[in-house]
Structure formats: C-alpha cells, structure tokens
Amino acid sequence: MNKIVNNVVILGGGTAGWMTAAALSKVLSNVKVTLVESEQIGTIGVGEATIPTMQFFNGLLDLDSHTFLKHTRGTYKLGIQFENWAAQEHSYFHAFGSTGRSLWAAGFHDFWRKGLELGISDNFSAYNIEAVAAGANRFAQSKNGLNYAFHLDSSLYAKLLRSVAEKQGVTRIEGKVAKVNCDAGTGFISSLLLESGEHVAGDLFVDCSGFKGLLINETLKVPFNDYGQWLKCDRAWAVQTKTSNTPVPYTRSIAHESGWQWRIPLQHRMGNGIVYSSQYMDDDTARERLLSTVEGELITEPRLIGFKTGHREQLWHKNCVAIGLSGGFIEPLESTAIHLIQQGILRLIKLFPSQGIEQLDIDEFNKSGMSDYQQIRDFIVLHYCQTQRDDSDFWRYCKQMEIPESLQERMSLFRKTGRFIVRHEEIFVDSWLQVMIGQGLIPEKYHRIADEMQAHELKAFLDNIVSSHHRQVSALPEHQQYLTRYCQ
Ligand SMILES: Cc1cc2nc3c(=O)[nH]c(=O)nc-3n(C[C@H](O)[C@H](O)[C@H](O)COP(=O)(O)OP(=O)(O)OC[C@H]3O[C@@H](n4cnc5c(N)ncnc54)[C@H](O)[C@@H]3O)c2cc1C
C-alpha cells in the first residue's frame, strides 16, 4: 500500500483522460504519466457546454479564454434558457453570476419578493446582468465584468489537451486493453495488458474509460449508486447541424413531454440533442422529434447514447481513481460533467499519494466526491419536481415522486420562509434562487428587513438596478462581433 507513486497510468483518451493527463503533467513534473486509448473504441464525443469553473482549469494550463475558444471554435455562455419547464410556453433564464444587490442581512430575493407583493417587481432575471446581456446577445470579457463559461467542440478540445499534455511529457499508447492484471495479495491493479501483447505497468491507475468503467467497475467491482428513481432520463440522441444564424451566448434547454432538448451554439455549427426517459418515449419517436425540430442541414448522422444516472460508491478504490463517466454521470441539464471531471482532478492533485496510498486520503477523496454528486443531483431534480406540468405520464411522475430529503428540506425552507442557506462548498449558490423562482417556487414570506424600505424607496432601488444593467449592456459589443475580433 505505501509504495511511492512515481508512475501514473490513465486509461482513456476522452475529455476526462486528456484533462487528467494535461493537469497531472503540468503540476507533477516528476511523476511519469502514460495514457492508453483506443481509436477503435473512440470517445463519447458529446459534452460541449460548461459552467464558469472551467476558467480555473484553463488557468491551470495557462490557456486564456480567447486562445481556448480559437482552438475549440467555441462561444461564450452566460447561462441557460429554460423553455417549457415550469409550464408549457413559459421560459426563464438561469444565468451565471448573482442577481440584484445584497442589502443588509437579507438577500436580494427578499426585497424582490416584497416588490412582487406591491406589484413593482420585474422578472427575477431582469436584475441579473448576465441574463440581460444574454437576452441582448451581447458580450465582452473584462475584469470584474460578466461571469461566463464556454460552449466548445469536444473533439477539438481533446486535440488541444492532447497537444498540451504531450508537450509536457505525457506518453500516449494507442491500443485496446484486453486484460487487467491485479496483485493476488492486495487486489491492486498492477498492469494493463493490451491486445498487442504490450504490458503497461503503473503505481496508480486513473480510470477514464467511459461509462463501462473498465477498471473501477469491471475489474474492481465497485457498486453503483443509482439515481434513476429521481432522474428518469436515460437516453439521448445527438446530432450536429450547420447554422447560418449568429451564435447566442447561452444554451437552450427546451422541455418536451418526456424529457428535454439541448441547443449548443458553436462558431461553426450547432450541437443538438434530445434527452428522454426510455420508460416514457421510444427511440424512434425521440429521433423523429429531434430531427423535426432542429434548424439547418445535418452535418452528422444522429447518434444514440444510453446512460445511467448516479455514481460509483467509491470514486477511489485501492490504487484506482475513477474520473469522468467511469465514476458517474448526472444528465447534462446543467452542464456539470466536465466540472465533475475537473473537481476529481484537482482533488487528486491535492491528495496525490506521493508517499504512498493512504486510506485516509482515499476516504477524503470519496467523501468530497460524493458530496459533489449529491449537490448536483438535488439541483437537477429541482428542475423536474417543481413544475406545473402535468400533460404527460412523465411529468405527472416527476411532480409526485418522493424527492431526496436534502432537497425537500431546502425547498420547504425557501417556500415557507424565503430563507436560502448556503452550505459548505456549494457548487451552485445564486443558481438555486434563480431556478427555484424560475420554476415557480415563490416564497410565502420575505425577511422583515425588507420592510425597512418604503414602497417608493424599494421601487427606486429595483428600477435603478434594471436601468443600470441596461445601460451597461448596451455599451457591450454583440457576441458575434466579440468572437470575430478575438476568438476566430
Ligand atoms: C448525452 C450527453 C450529453 C452531454 N453533455 C455534456 C455537456 O453539455 N457538458 C458536460 O460537461 N458534459 C456533458 N456530457 C458528459 C461528457 O460527454 C463526458 O463527461 C466527457 O465527454 C468525458 O467522457 P469520458 O472521457 O469519461 O469518456 P469517453 O469519452 O467515453 O472516453 C473513454 C475513453 O476510454 C477509452 N477506452 C475504453 N475502453 C478501452 C479499452 N478497453 N482499451 C483502451 N481504451 C479504452 C476510449 O477509447 C476513450 O478514449 C454529456 C454526456 C452525455 C451522455
């Protein structure tokens, strides 16, 4: 167990594998990193929307946003427009960045809620500058400016990461793993035997082999914690189309009777997909629905992807760390998978077993990893259970299902009291308020501090935020203009 780790082997060359290789080789220059991948198997080839934390990962690799978007032909993302979620023909915006201005001890939403009662509040997102900029299709990057993430072409991203990683000394081996060898005493993985007959030995193995989890699942048999009772979607079709429209700086998520569709605008094309529950919609109907609603000529054939929602009960077991789809997956509604990959990598770097593998490190890694999954699970379930939709069996199930206790507590507290408590190391903070309110969860009460402001003062305060956002946004260039200038 306490063998010094000098030799890391990564199995898999998808987004997870190359992100891990690029990051480890950047910060642990005295550790040998080898990546094994099989072109014959290929990668999943989706995963094109992100959240703002990706900027930190790019920073770790010394990639500035302009260079990153040039290489991945990506665009900026200020948030997600949710259409037909709370009810049909209803839409709201989940933007990055906070809404309104904090005042005294209460949250902005308390003042907004009081304004609602007085009939002087606008939509919650009118007080969020990222949402206003997205609606106006405008964008610019500046210090202390808009909060943003990216849309990217995943195959170009993998290429970019590979070139970064190889320059930093990562060895890539092309080949298919035929057998995984384990030590008979400890059960630790000792080497990968490739179909070519080559043995790839290592001290620590990172499983980035995708959904099947060749090491963590098929070899080490770590059980799966299934979230299927709360998140019914388990299949997707993905297709790319040509686009003649200028790209908007946000993702569209359009609910349908058994799931939802995504539209992710890139510089050169549109990424489209339909996500659905196979219990409520068959594959042919879903394919048909996707093809009848996409805009522009198809560039690829539609591809069917099945998935299971949940995560391994341990993400690090013995000398194997699972990063990416091998560790778990929560449907892509809030674009969190690349973020989870990044979290796994940063955690591995922090707890890197230079002096040998310690159970305490493993426990810490697993505890924090589980907490990430649970937080994201609750946030995604919120979109389904808080709805007025009851037009299909799927939505009726979602409305009535028993939800996780942690989510129930958070929603009840907000509904009854208007209080929103930020817990330890939350990934989403203001996002919770935007989605709860966007989905129609309006608190029954507001904090008494809001009563310290007279109605006319409150109106001036609220109107001032809206007009200031409009003023600032109208001074920004159009998103396309900005991309043409800096990112092409
Ligand atoms: C429908 C859908 C939409 C998504 N959208 C988003 C999104 O918008 N945003 C987001 O952040 N994420 C999204 N994701 C998730 C995202 O696609 C993945 O997290 C990301 O691509 C990482 O995948 P991976 O590298 O873990 O696996 P993969 O891409 O599947 O890579 C697996 C690698 O393992 C290799 N391999 C497997 N077996 C062997 C073997 N026996 N021998 C050798 N090599 C082997 C393969 O060759 C490949 O290189 C989405 C996922 C799905 C299913």
Side-chain angles (χ1 to χ4, degrees), residues 11-71:
L11 172 61
T15 306
W18 282 115
M19 280 178 81
T20 308
L24 292 189
S25 56
K26 173 81 185 180
V27 297
L28 300 168
S29 53
N30 50 357
V31 172
K32 180 170 183 279
V33 180
T34 307
L35 184 145
V36 178
E37 69 174 319
S38 158
E39 268 171 26
Q40 196 191 330
I41 295 175
T43 64
I44 192 154
V46 281
E48 308 206 309
T50 62
I51 60 173
T53 51
M54 189 164 201
Q55 287 177 50
F56 297 114
F57 191 77
N58 284 348
L60 178 78
L61 300 182
D62 297 327
L63 274 173
D64 68 79
S65 299
H66 294 165
T67 312
F68 171 74
L69 290 181
K70 258 182 217 167
H71 283 279

Side-chain angles (χ1 to χ4, degrees), residues 11-17 36-38 41-49 175-177 208-212 214 236 262 264 305 307 323-326 329 332 335-338 341:
L11 172 61
T15 306
V36 178
E37 69 174 319
S38 158
I41 295 175
T43 64
I44 192 154
V46 281
E48 308 206 309
K176 197 168 162 190
V177 174
C208 299
S209 64
F211 279 127
K212 69 178 162 214
L214 188 61
W262 79 75
I264 299 178
I305 306 162
F307 56 84
I323 292 183
L325 299 173
S326 63
F329 180 60
S335 328
T336 42
I338 293 176
I341 293 173

